[in-house]
Amino acid sequence: MKTIPAKTILSGYSDGWFGTNYNMNIYKGCCHGCIYCDSRSSCYRITDFDTVRAKAGALDILEDELRTKRQKGVIGSGAMSDFYNPFEKDCRLTRGTLQLIARYGYGVVIDTKSDLVLRDIDILQSIQRNAPAYINFTITTADDVLCSKIERNVCPSSRRFRAMKILSEAGIEGGILIMPILPFINDTAENILAIIEQAHEAHAKYIYPAFGVTLRQNQREYFFDRLDDQFPGMKQQYLQYFGDSYSCGSPRDKELRRLLKTECEKRGILWRMKDISRYIRRNYDREQISLF
């Protein structure tokens, strides 16, 4: 695997997203090939986005940062590059990162589309003794066939649901990110309900949605090329409905949000970010206060 130079690994993160204090990416780029990924946009300045590269010296840099931070906290990862890309199976950089997080008493919230996370149950359990350890699986469709069209190089949705259930049975909780939900493709009540039902069966504690997709810079061209390939005629439908808008919200947004709220509350699944963040940090904040 190629590497790129890095000076830092952790960055501050204080907007309350899943209760995290820091953000971390040890890889750059992603080979999942998801047709909707906003991280491909030019504003992020990631050249050769579809090529995964590791950050050189990531573990040494991270250890220095974890050791010298004045305040411990919960680290989020996976927003720009999946913590569990296919190369991780051999290079084990993520596993080394989790070992450091456990050693220095930090928490972690991981966003992923891979069931390779099951390999690291032992370390996640170790982190959990002192801090939160949560796994967020992105699942945009309950249909494995549709999944293969919009998320080409990742394990099917059914395997992600299965991984969540195995993690839950091992004491590692988490939830589902149903984002983005693509207008005219997977923004149906049937799809959202199927995801909620399977998430409940897999013991998901929360579900957080985004009923729409963002299109900007070169990501727009990439997305439309994939639509032409996988969904003939769909590009024209997008252009007629959204024009050149950056934010392409589902026309069914209100209907789907009502459905999500009703069905999640019926099953005891959280769906508001403030409630999700509070749940993730419920014991951790009490423990941090007791230290002082």
Side-chain angles (χ1 to χ4, degrees):
M1 169 179 283
K2 294 181 179 179
T3 61
I4 55 173
K7 294 181 179 179
T8 62
I9 300 297
L10 289 183
S11 59
Y13 199 66
S14 58
D15 66 357
W17 187 257
F18 293 99
T20 56
N21 306 102
Y22 302 102
N23 192 38
M24 170 181 63
N25 285 292
I26 55 175
Y27 292 103
K28 196 167 189 177
C30 184
C31 58
H32 285 345
C34 302
I35 69 173
Y36 51 68
C37 185
D38 184 64
S39 297
R40 188 178 282 103
S41 299
S42 301
C43 62
Y44 296 113
R45 300 178 182 178
I46 303 177
T47 57
D48 299 321
F49 177 77
D50 296 288
T51 300
V52 178
R53 289 141 293 174
K55 293 186 177 179
L59 296 183
D60 290 335
I61 296 171
L62 178 61
E63 183 165 19
D64 285 341
E65 292 177 322
L66 294 176
R67 187 178 60 246
T68 57
K69 287 289 182 187
R70 298 181 66 178
Q71 182 177 348
K72 298 186 188 300
V74 180
I75 300 169
S77 185
M80 297 291 292
S81 182
D82 200 318
F83 221 37
Y84 287 99
N85 64 73
F87 301 99
E88 169 59 25
K89 186 175 182 180
D90 294 321
C91 72
R92 302 167 74 86
L93 186 57
T94 291
R95 186 168 177 85
T97 297
L98 293 177
Q99 289 171 330
L100 289 174
I101 290 172
R103 182 184 307 166
Y104 288 97
Y106 287 72
V108 68
V109 178
I110 299 170
D111 300 345
T112 187
K113 294 176 183 171
S114 173
D115 57 359
L116 180 58
V117 63
L118 295 175
R119 179 199 65 186
D120 294 332
I121 285 178
D122 58 330
I123 308 177
L124 292 169
Q125 289 173 329
S126 179
I127 293 172
Q128 197 179 56
R129 296 188 189 107
N130 300 300
Y134 282 78
I135 307 300
N136 297 335
F137 285 98
T138 298
I139 299 179
T140 61
T141 173
D143 182 346
D144 283 353
V145 175
L146 180 57
C147 171
S148 69
K149 292 182 178 182
I150 62 179
E151 301 163 349
R152 294 175 299 159
N153 302 325
V154 296
C155 68
S157 298
S158 57
R159 279 175 51 187
R160 285 175 250 172
F161 281 120
R162 176 179 174 274
M164 167 162 279
K165 188 172 185 179
I166 293 172
L167 285 165
S168 178
E169 291 170 349
I172 307 299
E173 296 181 334
I176 303 293
L177 307 180
I178 49 174
M179 58 172 66
I181 294 297
L182 306 176
F184 317 125
I185 294 177
N186 58 348
D187 62 338
T188 65
E190 293 78 13
N191 180 48
I192 301 306
L193 183 57
I195 291 175
I196 294 170
E197 289 175 341
Q198 292 187 52
H200 180 59
E201 292 172 2
H203 312 304
K205 295 299 180 182
Y206 49 81
I207 297 175
Y208 194 71
F211 296 117
V213 65
T214 55
L215 299 176
R216 56 185 168 187
Q217 294 116 6
N218 55 309
Q219 164 54 17
R220 175 182 295 275
E221 287 70 41
Y222 183 89
F223 181 69
F224 283 156
D225 285 346
R226 301 290 83 74
L227 289 187
D228 283 339
D229 182 49
Q230 297 291 342
F231 307 95
M234 186 63 69
K235 172 184 174 181
Q236 197 59 36
Q237 190 170 354
Y238 266 74
L239 290 172
Q240 289 175 351
Y241 195 90
F242 299 111
D244 60 355
S245 296
Y246 157 68
S247 180
C248 303
S250 169
R252 297 170 174 164
D253 181 276
K254 291 183 179 179
E255 169 197 343
L256 297 180
R257 287 187 186 279
R258 284 195 299 269
L259 175 67
L260 181 81
K261 176 181 182 294
T262 300
E263 297 300 326
C264 282
E265 290 182 351
K266 188 186 300 182
R267 295 166 174 80
I269 298 174
L270 303 175
W271 56 276
R272 294 186 184 92
M273 181 53 69
K274 64 178 182 179
D275 296 330
I276 295 170
S277 296
R278 189 180 300 121
Y279 181 81
I280 288 173
R281 297 184 66 96
R282 66 195 185 285
N283 296 321
Y284 187 60
D285 285 334
R286 285 198 294 270
E287 291 170 0
Q288 293 297 298
I289 291 173
S290 70
L291 291 176
F292 299 97

Coordinates of all heavy atoms in Angstrom, one line a residue, residues 143-211:
D143 N -32.1 -4.1 0.2 CA -32.0 -5.0 -0.9 C -30.6 -5.1 -1.4 O -29.9 -4.2 -1.8 CB -32.9 -4.3 -2.1 CG -32.9 -5.2 -3.3 OD1 -32.1 -6.2 -3.4 OD2 -33.8 -4.9 -4.2
D144 N -30.1 -6.4 -1.3 CA -28.7 -6.6 -1.6 C -28.4 -6.4 -3.1 O -27.3 -6.0 -3.5 CB -28.3 -8.1 -1.3 CG -28.1 -8.3 0.2 OD1 -28.0 -7.3 0.9 OD2 -27.9 -9.4 0.6
V145 N -29.4 -6.6 -4.0 CA -29.2 -6.3 -5.4 C -29.0 -4.8 -5.7 O -28.1 -4.4 -6.4 CB -30.3 -6.9 -6.2 CG1 -30.2 -6.5 -7.7 CG2 -30.4 -8.4 -6.1
L146 N -29.9 -4.0 -5.1 CA -29.8 -2.6 -5.2 C -28.5 -2.1 -4.6 O -27.8 -1.2 -5.1 CB -31.0 -1.9 -4.6 CG -31.0 -0.3 -4.7 CD1 -30.9 0.1 -6.2 CD2 -32.2 0.2 -4.1
C147 N -28.1 -2.7 -3.5 CA -26.9 -2.3 -2.8 C -25.7 -2.5 -3.7 O -24.8 -1.6 -3.8 CB -26.7 -3.2 -1.5 SG -25.1 -3.0 -0.7
S148 N -25.7 -3.6 -4.5 CA -24.5 -3.8 -5.4 C -24.4 -2.8 -6.5 O -23.4 -2.6 -7.1 CB -24.7 -5.2 -6.0 OG -25.8 -5.3 -6.9
K149 N -25.5 -2.1 -6.8 CA -25.5 -1.1 -7.8 C -25.0 0.3 -7.3 O -24.3 1.0 -8.0 CB -26.9 -0.9 -8.4 CG -27.4 -2.1 -9.2 CD -28.7 -1.8 -9.8 CE -29.2 -3.0 -10.7 NZ -30.5 -2.7 -11.3
I150 N -25.4 0.6 -6.1 CA -25.0 2.0 -5.6 C -23.8 1.9 -4.6 O -23.2 3.0 -4.4 CB -26.2 2.6 -4.9 CG1 -26.7 1.8 -3.7 CG2 -27.3 2.8 -5.9 CD1 -27.9 2.5 -2.9
E151 N -23.4 0.8 -4.1 CA -22.2 0.6 -3.3 C -21.5 -0.6 -3.8 O -21.5 -1.7 -3.2 CB -22.7 0.4 -1.8 CG -23.5 1.6 -1.3 CD -24.3 1.3 0.0 OE1 -24.4 0.1 0.4 OE2 -24.8 2.2 0.6
R152 N -20.7 -0.4 -4.8 CA -20.3 -1.6 -5.7 C -19.3 -2.5 -5.0 O -19.3 -3.7 -5.2 CB -19.7 -1.0 -7.0 CG -20.7 -0.3 -7.9 CD -20.0 0.3 -9.1 NE -19.0 1.3 -8.7 CZ -18.0 1.7 -9.4 NH1 -17.8 1.1 -10.6 NH2 -17.2 2.6 -9.0
N153 N -18.4 -2.0 -4.2 CA -17.3 -2.8 -3.7 C -17.3 -3.1 -2.2 O -16.3 -3.3 -1.6 CB -16.0 -2.1 -4.1 CG -15.8 -1.8 -5.6 OD1 -16.3 -2.6 -6.4 ND2 -15.2 -0.7 -5.9
V154 N -18.5 -3.1 -1.6 CA -18.6 -3.4 -0.2 C -19.4 -4.6 0.0 O -20.2 -5.1 -0.9 CB -19.2 -2.2 0.6 CG1 -18.2 -1.0 0.5 CG2 -20.5 -1.8 0.1
C155 N -19.4 -5.2 1.2 CA -20.2 -6.3 1.5 C -21.7 -5.9 1.5 O -22.0 -4.8 1.8 CB -19.8 -7.0 2.8 SG -20.2 -6.0 4.3
P156 N -22.6 -6.8 1.1 CA -24.0 -6.5 1.0 C -24.6 -6.1 2.3 O -24.1 -6.4 3.4 CB -24.6 -7.8 0.4 CG -23.6 -8.9 0.8 CD -22.3 -8.2 0.7
S157 N -25.7 -5.4 2.2 CA -26.4 -5.0 3.4 C -26.7 -6.1 4.4 O -26.6 -5.9 5.6 CB -27.7 -4.3 3.0 OG -27.5 -3.2 2.2
S158 N -27.1 -7.3 3.9 CA -27.4 -8.4 4.8 C -26.3 -8.8 5.7 O -26.4 -9.1 6.8 CB -27.9 -9.6 3.9 OG -26.9 -10.0 3.0
R159 N -25.0 -8.7 5.2 CA -23.9 -9.0 6.0 C -23.6 -7.9 7.0 O -23.1 -8.2 8.1 CB -22.6 -9.2 5.1 CG -22.6 -10.6 4.5 CD -21.4 -10.7 3.5 NE -20.1 -10.3 4.0 CZ -19.0 -10.3 3.2 NH1 -19.1 -10.6 1.9 NH2 -17.9 -9.9 3.8
R160 N -23.9 -6.7 6.7 CA -23.7 -5.6 7.7 C -24.7 -5.8 8.8 O -24.4 -5.6 10.0 CB -23.9 -4.2 7.0 CG -22.7 -3.9 6.2 CD -22.9 -2.6 5.4 NE -23.0 -2.8 4.0 CZ -23.3 -1.9 3.1 NH1 -23.6 -0.7 3.5 NH2 -23.4 -2.3 1.8
F161 N -26.0 -6.1 8.5 CA -27.0 -6.4 9.5 C -26.5 -7.5 10.4 O -26.6 -7.5 11.7 CB -28.3 -6.7 8.9 CG -29.1 -5.5 8.5 CD1 -29.5 -5.4 7.2 CD2 -29.5 -4.5 9.4 CE1 -30.2 -4.3 6.7 CE2 -30.2 -3.4 8.9 CZ -30.6 -3.3 7.6
R162 N -26.0 -8.6 9.8 CA -25.5 -9.7 10.6 C -24.4 -9.3 11.5 O -24.3 -9.7 12.6 CB -25.1 -10.8 9.6 CG -24.5 -12.0 10.3 CD -24.1 -13.1 9.3 NE -23.3 -14.2 9.9 CZ -22.0 -14.2 10.1 NH1 -21.3 -13.2 9.7 NH2 -21.4 -15.3 10.7
A163 N -23.4 -8.5 11.0 CA -22.3 -8.1 11.8 C -22.8 -7.2 13.0 O -22.2 -7.4 14.1 CB -21.3 -7.2 10.9
M164 N -23.8 -6.4 12.8 CA -24.3 -5.6 13.9 C -24.9 -6.5 15.0 O -24.7 -6.3 16.2 CB -25.4 -4.6 13.4 CG -26.2 -4.0 14.5 SD -27.1 -2.6 14.0 CE -25.7 -1.4 14.1
K165 N -25.6 -7.5 14.6 CA -26.1 -8.5 15.5 C -25.1 -9.2 16.3 O -25.1 -9.4 17.5 CB -27.1 -9.5 14.8 CG -27.9 -10.3 15.8 CD -28.9 -11.2 15.1 CE -29.8 -11.9 16.1 NZ -30.8 -12.7 15.4
I166 N -24.0 -9.6 15.6 CA -22.9 -10.3 16.3 C -22.2 -9.4 17.3 O -21.9 -9.8 18.4 CB -21.9 -10.9 15.3 CG1 -22.5 -12.0 14.4 CG2 -20.6 -11.4 15.9 CD1 -21.7 -12.4 13.3
L167 N -22.0 -8.2 16.9 CA -21.4 -7.2 17.8 C -22.2 -7.0 19.0 O -21.7 -6.9 20.1 CB -21.1 -5.9 17.0 CG -20.0 -5.8 16.0 CD1 -20.1 -4.6 15.1 CD2 -18.6 -5.8 16.7
S168 N -23.5 -6.8 18.8 CA -24.4 -6.6 19.9 C -24.4 -7.7 20.9 O -24.4 -7.5 22.1 CB -25.9 -6.3 19.4 OG -26.8 -6.2 20.4
E169 N -24.4 -8.9 20.4 CA -24.4 -10.1 21.2 C -23.0 -10.2 22.0 O -23.0 -10.9 23.0 CB -24.6 -11.4 20.4 CG -26.0 -11.4 19.9 CD -26.2 -12.5 18.8 OE1 -25.2 -13.1 18.4 OE2 -27.4 -12.8 18.5
A170 N -22.0 -9.5 21.5 CA -20.7 -9.5 22.2 C -20.6 -8.2 23.1 O -19.6 -8.0 23.7 CB -19.6 -9.4 21.1
G171 N -21.7 -7.5 23.2 CA -21.7 -6.3 24.1 C -21.3 -5.0 23.4 O -21.2 -4.0 24.1
I172 N -21.1 -5.0 22.1 CA -20.7 -3.8 21.4 C -21.9 -3.2 20.7 O -22.4 -3.8 19.7 CB -19.6 -4.0 20.4 CG1 -18.4 -4.8 21.1 CG2 -19.2 -2.7 19.7 CD1 -17.8 -4.0 22.2
E173 N -22.4 -2.1 21.2 CA -23.7 -1.5 20.6 C -23.4 -0.6 19.4 O -22.2 -0.3 19.2 CB -24.4 -0.7 21.7 CG -24.9 -1.6 22.8 CD -25.7 -0.8 23.9 OE1 -25.4 0.4 24.0 OE2 -26.5 -1.4 24.6
G174 N -24.4 -0.2 18.8 CA -24.3 0.7 17.6 C -25.6 1.0 17.0 O -26.6 0.7 17.5
G175 N -25.5 1.5 15.8 CA -26.7 1.9 15.0 C -26.5 1.9 13.6 O -25.5 1.5 13.0
I176 N -27.5 2.4 12.9 CA -27.5 2.4 11.4 C -27.6 3.9 10.9 O -28.3 4.7 11.4 CB -28.8 1.7 10.9 CG1 -28.8 0.2 11.4 CG2 -28.8 1.7 9.3 CD1 -27.8 -0.6 10.9
L177 N -26.7 4.2 9.9 CA -26.8 5.4 9.2 C -27.5 5.2 7.9 O -26.9 4.5 7.0 CB -25.4 6.0 9.0 CG -24.5 6.1 10.2 CD1 -23.1 6.7 9.7 CD2 -25.1 7.0 11.2
I178 N -28.7 5.6 7.7 CA -29.4 5.5 6.4 C -29.1 6.8 5.6 O -30.0 7.6 5.5 CB -30.8 5.1 6.5 CG1 -31.6 6.0 7.5 CG2 -31.0 3.6 7.0 CD1 -33.1 5.7 7.5
M179 N -27.9 6.9 5.1 CA -27.6 8.1 4.4 C -26.5 7.8 3.4 O -25.5 7.1 3.7 CB -27.1 9.2 5.4 CG -25.9 8.8 6.3 SD -25.3 10.1 7.3 CE -26.6 10.5 8.4
P180 N -26.6 8.4 2.2 CA -27.8 9.2 1.8 C -28.9 8.3 1.2 O -28.6 7.2 0.6 CB -27.2 10.1 0.7 CG -26.1 9.3 0.1 CD -25.5 8.5 1.2
I181 N -30.1 8.7 1.4 CA -31.2 8.1 0.7 C -31.4 8.8 -0.6 O -31.7 10.0 -0.6 CB -32.5 8.1 1.6 CG1 -32.3 7.2 2.8 CG2 -33.7 7.6 0.8 CD1 -32.0 5.8 2.5
L182 N -31.3 8.1 -1.7 CA -31.3 8.8 -3.1 C -32.7 9.0 -3.6 O -33.4 8.0 -3.7 CB -30.4 7.9 -4.0 CG -29.0 7.6 -3.6 CD1 -28.3 6.7 -4.6 CD2 -28.2 8.8 -3.4
P183 N -33.0 10.2 -4.0 CA -34.3 10.4 -4.6 C -34.5 9.5 -5.8 O -33.6 9.3 -6.6 CB -34.2 11.9 -5.0 CG -33.2 12.5 -4.1 CD -32.2 11.4 -3.8
F184 N -35.8 9.0 -5.9 CA -36.2 8.2 -7.0 C -35.5 6.8 -7.1 O -35.8 6.1 -8.0 CB -36.1 8.9 -8.3 CG -36.4 10.4 -8.3 CD1 -35.6 11.3 -8.7 CD2 -37.7 10.7 -7.9 CE1 -35.9 12.7 -8.6 CE2 -38.1 12.1 -7.8 CZ -37.2 13.1 -8.2
I185 N -34.7 6.5 -6.1 CA -34.0 5.2 -6.2 C -34.3 4.3 -5.0 O -34.8 3.2 -5.1 CB -32.4 5.4 -6.4 CG1 -32.1 6.1 -7.7 CG2 -31.7 4.1 -6.3 CD1 -30.7 6.4 -8.0
N186 N -33.9 4.8 -3.8 CA -34.2 4.1 -2.6 C -35.0 4.8 -1.6 O -35.1 4.4 -0.4 CB -32.9 3.5 -2.0 CG -31.9 4.7 -1.6 OD1 -32.1 5.8 -2.0 ND2 -30.9 4.3 -0.8
D187 N -35.7 5.9 -2.0 CA -36.5 6.7 -1.0 C -37.9 6.3 -1.0 O -38.8 7.0 -1.3 CB -36.4 8.2 -1.4 CG -36.9 8.6 -2.8 OD1 -37.0 7.6 -3.6 OD2 -37.3 9.7 -3.0
T188 N -38.1 5.0 -0.7 CA -39.5 4.4 -0.7 C -39.8 4.0 0.8 O -38.9 3.7 1.6 CB -39.6 3.2 -1.5 OG1 -38.7 2.1 -1.0 CG2 -39.2 3.5 -3.0
A189 N -41.0 4.1 1.1 CA -41.5 3.7 2.5 C -41.1 2.2 2.7 O -40.7 1.8 3.8 CB -43.0 3.9 2.6
E190 N -41.2 1.4 1.7 CA -40.9 0.0 1.8 C -39.4 -0.2 2.2 O -39.1 -1.1 3.0 CB -41.2 -0.8 0.5 CG -42.7 -0.8 0.1 CD -43.2 0.5 -0.5 OE1 -42.4 1.3 -0.8 OE2 -44.5 0.6 -0.6
N191 N -38.5 0.5 1.6 CA -37.1 0.4 1.9 C -36.8 0.8 3.3 O -36.1 0.2 4.0 CB -36.3 1.2 0.9 CG -34.8 1.1 1.1 OD1 -34.3 0.0 1.3 ND2 -34.1 2.2 1.2
I192 N -37.3 2.0 3.7 CA -37.1 2.5 5.0 C -37.6 1.6 6.1 O -37.0 1.3 7.1 CB -37.7 3.9 5.2 CG1 -37.1 4.9 4.1 CG2 -37.4 4.5 6.6 CD1 -35.6 4.9 4.1
L193 N -38.8 1.1 5.9 CA -39.4 0.2 6.8 C -38.6 -1.1 6.9 O -38.4 -1.6 8.1 CB -40.9 -0.1 6.5 CG -41.7 -1.0 7.4 CD1 -41.7 -0.4 8.8 CD2 -43.1 -1.3 6.9
A194 N -38.1 -1.6 5.8 CA -37.3 -2.9 5.8 C -36.0 -2.7 6.6 O -35.6 -3.5 7.3 CB -37.1 -3.3 4.4
I195 N -35.4 -1.5 6.4 CA -34.2 -1.2 7.1 C -34.5 -1.1 8.6 O -33.7 -1.7 9.5 CB -33.6 0.1 6.7 CG1 -33.0 0.0 5.2 CG2 -32.4 0.6 7.6 CD1 -32.5 1.3 4.6
I196 N -35.5 -0.5 9.0 CA -35.9 -0.3 10.4 C -36.1 -1.7 11.1 O -35.7 -2.0 12.2 CB -37.1 0.6 10.6 CG1 -36.8 2.0 10.2 CG2 -37.6 0.6 12.1 CD1 -38.0 2.9 10.1
E197 N -36.9 -2.5 10.3 CA -37.2 -3.9 10.9 C -35.9 -4.7 11.1 O -35.8 -5.4 12.1 CB -38.2 -4.6 9.9 CG -39.6 -4.0 10.0 CD -40.5 -4.6 9.0 OE1 -40.0 -5.2 8.0 OE2 -41.8 -4.4 9.1
Q198 N -35.1 -4.7 10.1 CA -33.8 -5.5 10.2 C -32.9 -4.9 11.2 O -32.1 -5.6 11.8 CB -33.2 -5.6 8.8 CG -34.0 -6.4 7.8 CD -33.3 -6.7 6.5 OE1 -32.2 -7.2 6.5 NE2 -34.0 -6.4 5.4
A199 N -32.9 -3.6 11.3 CA -32.0 -2.9 12.3 C -32.5 -3.4 13.7 O -31.7 -3.6 14.6 CB -32.1 -1.4 12.2
H200 N -33.8 -3.4 13.9 CA -34.4 -3.8 15.2 C -34.0 -5.3 15.5 O -33.6 -5.6 16.6 CB -35.9 -3.7 15.2 CG -36.6 -4.1 16.4 ND1 -36.3 -3.5 17.6 CD2 -37.5 -5.0 16.7 CE1 -37.0 -4.1 18.6 NE2 -37.8 -5.0 18.0
E201 N -34.0 -6.1 14.5 CA -33.7 -7.5 14.7 C -32.2 -7.7 15.0 O -31.8 -8.6 15.7 CB -34.0 -8.3 13.4 CG -35.5 -8.5 13.1 CD -35.8 -9.1 11.8 OE1 -34.8 -9.4 11.1 OE2 -37.0 -9.2 11.4
A202 N -31.4 -6.7 14.5 CA -29.9 -6.7 14.8 C -29.6 -6.0 16.0 O -28.4 -5.8 16.3 CB -29.2 -6.1 13.6
H203 N -30.6 -5.5 16.8 CA -30.4 -4.9 18.1 C -29.8 -3.5 17.9 O -29.0 -3.0 18.8 CB -29.6 -5.7 19.0 CG -30.0 -7.1 19.1 ND1 -31.3 -7.5 19.5 CD2 -29.3 -8.3 18.9 CE1 -31.4 -8.8 19.4 NE2 -30.2 -9.3 19.1
A204 N -30.1 -2.8 16.8 CA -29.6 -1.4 16.7 C -30.2 -0.5 17.8 O -31.4 -0.6 18.1 CB -30.0 -0.9 15.3
K205 N -29.4 0.4 18.4 CA -29.9 1.3 19.4 C -30.4 2.6 18.8 O -31.2 3.3 19.4 CB -28.7 1.6 20.4 CG -28.3 0.4 21.2 CD -29.5 -0.2 22.0 CE -29.0 -1.4 22.8 NZ -30.2 -1.9 23.6
Y206 N -30.0 2.9 17.6 CA -30.4 4.1 17.0 C -30.3 4.0 15.4 O -29.6 3.2 14.9 CB -29.6 5.3 17.4 CG -28.1 5.1 17.4 CD1 -27.3 5.3 16.3 CD2 -27.4 4.7 18.6 CE1 -26.0 5.1 16.2 CE2 -26.0 4.5 18.6 CZ -25.3 4.7 17.4 OH -24.0 4.5 17.4
I207 N -31.0 4.9 14.8 CA -31.0 5.0 13.3 C -31.0 6.5 13.0 O -31.8 7.3 13.5 CB -32.2 4.4 12.6 CG1 -32.2 2.9 12.9 CG2 -32.2 4.6 11.1 CD1 -33.5 2.2 12.4
Y208 N -30.0 6.9 12.2 CA -30.0 8.3 11.8 C -30.0 8.5 10.3 O -29.2 7.9 9.6 CB -28.7 9.0 12.4 CG -28.8 10.5 12.3 CD1 -29.7 11.2 13.1 CD2 -28.0 11.2 11.4 CE1 -29.7 12.6 13.1 CE2 -28.1 12.6 11.3 CZ -29.0 13.3 12.2 OH -29.1 14.6 12.1
P209 N -30.9 9.3 9.7 CA -31.2 9.4 8.3 C -30.6 10.7 7.6 O -30.4 11.7 8.3 CB -32.7 9.4 8.2 CG -33.1 10.2 9.4 CD -32.0 10.0 10.5
A210 N -30.5 10.6 6.3 CA -30.4 11.8 5.5 C -31.2 11.5 4.2 O -30.7 10.7 3.4 CB -28.9 12.1 5.1
F211 N -32.4 12.1 4.1 CA -33.2 11.8 2.9 C -32.9 12.7 1.8 O -33.7 13.6 1.5 CB -34.7 11.9 3.4 CG -35.1 10.9 4.4 CD1 -35.5 11.3 5.7 CD2 -35.0 9.5 4.2 CE1 -35.9 10.4 6.7 CE2 -35.4 8.6 5.2 CZ -35.8 9.0 6.4

